[in-house]
């Protein structure tokens, strides 16, 4: 085999003969053409491969296929396509997304693992055919794997996590959301052998209890992102262990974990000063007391989802307005004790003028047009949600728009019931939202 140039052998360049009359092939060195092809996406590369025999060689060279995302290209692929890709790319491939490719199973991914041993990022999100066998293959052949997405792969069990712990010690991010067979045993095996974990997405892993969280808190000091949405069995005990062991935590989602109390907010405030994102929707036991501690200690907060935190009042908004100057997104939907006074403080706080982009106030019955007046100075405000805020009027929204003409306002106004004397069939109104 001839000497390689940028991963392409000399013998391949011999395809460019004098019979190829294309000007571009005559004027540009083949190495430069290969470099140009390296910037093209999957679809364009496939089109170029059909232009001529010489372009086919360059377009399908493995060095051009280091990052592949088939989600926007073709999702109904069969396993043989993945096998062909793996043979084409070999050791060049670093990132592959097969998200939503329902036809891909264990056999194809075993071939893939054998051929693409330098893979670092792999998304199998929604590939429902795969089982623990795929993780065994990845463990055996892909030691450089750092990011793995197995969300909605419901056949995955603790055996997969044990396999990954044995063969993929560099793992930094793992998504096993909705893999509801996972228990504390799998989590324990994983975190003990993968100390560099920075992101864990465990949404919908309903069998997880506090014991699993204690293992995470003890072995994952670099953890930055943790999603435990709808893990309904967890309590303060497990989450406090997370806070005390993971001081670098920046994003925490515990929405739907109804057992947690203000103790979690105190623990976050005392241990996780870098927190940027907190999602605690439907955590109805949280109060102003906990959010006061949080706001006074976590000044980098950017996004907060407090939907259905039904006990909070304007006191929480006052603390956020004073201590959280970077706040960009705030959901207060179904927080029925919030009033115009809380919005007034928020609108005059340091986050209002330059940072606040989204505020959600659905089903806040005490909010009136006065709140919209208080938000006029929020020049970065892009969207406001006002469904079922019965004291908000069209006129109030119109006045807000004179100051923020590009803002998206979502609201619903019930149609006026026609008087009984009106004849004819009654008009039927759609119950969906109106984009004002």
């Amino acid at each position: 085999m001839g000497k390689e140039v940028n991963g392409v052998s000399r013998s391949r360049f011999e395809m460019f003969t004098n019979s190829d009359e294309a000007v571009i092939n005559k004027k540009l060195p083949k190495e430069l053409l290969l470099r140009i092809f390296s910037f093209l996406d999957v679809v364009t590369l496939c089109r170029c491969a059909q232009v001529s025999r010489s372009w086919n060689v360059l377009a399908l060279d493995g060095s051009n296929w280091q990052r592949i995302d088939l989600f926007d290209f073709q999702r109904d692929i069969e396993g043989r396509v993945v096998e062909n890709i793996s043979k084409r790319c070999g050791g060049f491939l670093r990132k592959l997304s097969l998200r939503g490719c329902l036809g891909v199973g264990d056999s194809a991914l075993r071939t893939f693992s054998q051929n693409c041993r330098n893979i670092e990022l792999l998304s199998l999100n929604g590939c429902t055919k795969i089982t623990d066998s795929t993780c065994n293959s990845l463990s055996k052949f892909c030691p450089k794997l750092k990011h793995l997405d197995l969300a909605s792969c419901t056949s995955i069990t603790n055996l997969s996590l044990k396999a990954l712990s044995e063969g993929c010690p560099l793992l930094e991010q793992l998504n096993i959301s909705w893999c509801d067979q996972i228990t504390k045993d799998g989590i324990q095996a994983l975190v003990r052998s993968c100390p560099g974990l920075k992101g864990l997405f465990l949404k919908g892993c309903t069998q997880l209890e506090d014991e699993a969280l204690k293992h995470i808190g003890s072995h994952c000091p670099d953890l930055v992102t943790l999603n435990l949405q709808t893990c309904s069995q967890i309590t303060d005990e497990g989450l406090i262990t997370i806070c005390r062991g993971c001081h670098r935590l920046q994003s925490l989602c515990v929405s739907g974990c109804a057992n947690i109390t203000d103790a979690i907010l105190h623990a976050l405030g005392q241990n996780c000063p870098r927190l940027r994102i907190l999602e605690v929707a439907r955590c109805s036991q949280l109060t102003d007391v906990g959010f006061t501690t949080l706001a006074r200690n976590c000044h980098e907060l950017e996004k907060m989802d407090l939907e259905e935190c039904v006990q909070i009042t304007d006191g929480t908004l006052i603390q956020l307005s004073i201590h959280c100057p970077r706040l960009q997104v705030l959901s207060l939907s179904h927080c029925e004790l919030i009033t115009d006074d809380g919005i007034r403080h928020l609108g005059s706080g340091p986050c209002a003028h330059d940072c606040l982009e989204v505020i959600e106030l659905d089903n806040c019955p005490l909010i009136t047009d006065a709140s919209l007046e208080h938000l006029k100075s929020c020049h970065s405000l892009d969207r406001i949600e006002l469904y079922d805020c019965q004291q908000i009027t069209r006129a109030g929204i119109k006045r807000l728009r004179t100051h923020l003409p590009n803002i998206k306002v979502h609201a619903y106004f019930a149609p006026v019931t026609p008087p009984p004397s009106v004849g004819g069939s009654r008009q039927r109104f759609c119950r969906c939202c109106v984009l004002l």
Side-chain angles (χ1 to χ4, degrees):
M1 197 156 173
K3 181 179 179 182
E4 289 194 354
V5 179
N6 290 339
V8 181
S9 66
R10 289 289 189 188
S11 59
R12 290 189 181 183
F13 285 154
E14 291 172 2
M15 302 290 291
F16 295 87
T17 64
N18 292 331
S19 61
D20 194 330
E21 297 298 330
V23 175
I24 191 172
N25 293 337
K26 291 182 177 181
K27 296 292 185 181
L28 295 182
K30 307 309 175 286
E31 295 85 354
L32 182 55
L33 279 172
L34 183 64
R35 176 64 175 164
I36 293 172
F37 277 37
S38 70
F39 291 98
L40 303 181
D41 58 33
V42 172
V43 176
T44 309
L45 283 170
C46 289
R47 289 172 177 166
C48 290
Q50 301 175 59
V51 171
S52 67
R53 191 179 179 191
S54 54
W55 276 33
N56 180 276
V57 171
L58 292 179
L60 299 182
D61 188 82
S63 63
N64 293 324
W65 295 72
Q66 298 182 44
R67 295 171 295 276
I68 304 174
D69 186 345
L70 295 180
F71 185 74
D72 294 322
F73 177 51
Q74 184 177 351
R75 274 170 276 175
D76 57 346
I77 65 171
E78 299 176 358
R80 61 180 179 82
V81 175
V82 175
E83 295 178 5
N84 291 338
I85 288 175
S86 72
K87 293 172 183 176
R88 171 69 61 183
C89 301
F92 284 109
L93 190 61
R94 297 292 188 275
K95 300 179 181 180
L96 174 66
S97 175
L98 298 174
R99 181 165 56 111
C101 295
L102 302 179
V104 177
D106 293 329
S107 177
L109 286 166
R110 178 175 178 80
T111 301
F112 165 83
S113 301
Q114 292 173 329
N115 290 329
C116 301
R117 303 190 182 206
N118 292 321
I119 191 73
E120 296 176 3
L121 185 153
L122 177 63
S123 175
L124 302 174
N125 189 317
C127 297
T128 52
K129 283 188 175 182
I130 70 169
T131 70
D132 293 330
S133 177
T134 285
C135 289
N136 285 329
S137 298
L138 293 171
S139 171
K140 186 175 181 180
F141 301 110
C142 303
K144 297 182 180 180
L145 192 62
K146 294 182 179 179
H147 291 202
L148 178 61
D149 188 347
L150 298 170
S152 299
C153 298
T154 53
S155 295
I156 294 298
T157 73
N158 289 334
L159 295 176
S160 286
L161 301 194
K162 291 175 181 178
L164 292 170
S165 70
E166 294 169 359
C168 303
L170 302 181
L171 204 61
E172 295 180 0
Q173 183 167 299
L174 178 66
N175 188 344
I176 48 174
S177 296
W178 309 114
C179 298
D180 55 7
Q181 298 187 61
I182 298 297
T183 70
K184 62 180 177 60
D185 295 332
I187 297 296
Q188 180 181 16
L190 178 76
V191 299
R192 282 186 172 180
S193 299
C194 301
L197 278 169
K198 296 179 180 178
L200 268 176
F201 299 84
L202 308 174
K203 179 179 179 180
C205 293
T206 52
Q207 293 196 57
L208 294 184
E209 301 172 328
D210 289 334
E211 198 65 31
L213 304 194
K214 291 178 182 179
H215 293 307
I216 296 172
S218 299
H219 297 284
C220 300
D222 294 329
L223 195 67
V224 173
T225 301
L226 179 62
N227 190 319
L228 296 165
Q229 183 174 336
T230 67
C231 295
S232 55
Q233 297 192 60
I234 66 174
T235 71
D236 293 344
E237 184 180 359
L239 282 170
I240 288 174
T241 306
I242 293 287
C243 296
R244 290 175 177 172
C246 307
H247 298 291
R248 299 182 181 181
L249 196 65
Q250 295 183 20
S251 176
L252 176 65
C253 176
V254 287
S255 293
C257 300
N259 295 321
I260 68 173
T261 72
D262 283 344
I264 298 308
L265 302 181
H266 290 303
L268 285 168
Q270 293 166 3
N271 297 281
C272 304
R274 302 182 186 181
L275 193 68
R276 293 172 44 245
I277 299 173
L278 178 64
E279 300 179 29
V280 288
R282 304 182 301 285
C283 297
S284 58
Q285 297 189 60
L286 303 181
T287 73
D288 292 339
V289 175
F291 284 111
T292 295
T293 301
L294 181 78
R296 289 179 176 178
N297 292 278
C298 298
H299 306 303
E300 297 183 17
L301 281 165
E302 296 176 1
K303 176 182 178 182
M304 297 185 71
D305 185 353
L306 311 185
E307 182 173 348
E308 293 187 40
C309 291
V310 293
Q311 295 195 54
I312 67 171
T313 72
D314 294 338
T316 289
L317 298 193
I318 292 171
Q319 296 300 320
L320 293 177
S321 68
I322 296 171
H323 300 291
C324 301
R326 300 183 182 182
L327 198 61
Q328 298 175 16
V329 179
L330 179 62
S331 176
L332 299 167
S333 297
H334 295 271
C335 297
E336 298 185 358
L337 302 179
I338 298 295
T339 74
D340 294 333
D341 191 55
I343 302 301
R344 177 176 65 83
H345 281 89
L346 192 67
S348 61
C351 71
H353 296 88
D354 299 318
C355 293
L356 193 63
E357 297 176 358
V358 176
I359 185 166
E360 299 178 357
L361 297 168
D362 300 333
N363 294 92
C364 292
L366 303 181
I367 295 297
T368 73
D369 287 349
S371 285
L372 304 187
E373 295 293 322
H374 299 322
L375 294 172
K376 286 180 178 179
S377 60
C378 301
H379 302 299
S380 297
L381 197 61
D382 176 67
R383 176 167 60 86
I384 184 169
E385 304 284 337
L386 297 166
Y387 295 116
D388 292 317
C389 293
Q390 298 179 10
Q391 299 193 64
I392 295 292
T393 68
R394 295 179 188 272
I397 293 174
K398 185 176 181 180
R399 287 192 294 271
L400 178 65
R401 276 226 169 88
T402 62
H403 293 268
L404 304 172
N406 296 320
I407 192 172
K408 301 179 185 70
V409 181
H410 297 97
Y412 170 76
F413 293 94
V416 177
T417 304
S421 59
V422 176
S425 61
R426 182 175 176 178
Q427 182 179 357
R428 298 183 62 188
F429 291 93
C430 176
R431 295 291 296 178
C432 66
C433 71
V434 178
L435 181 62
L436 296 173

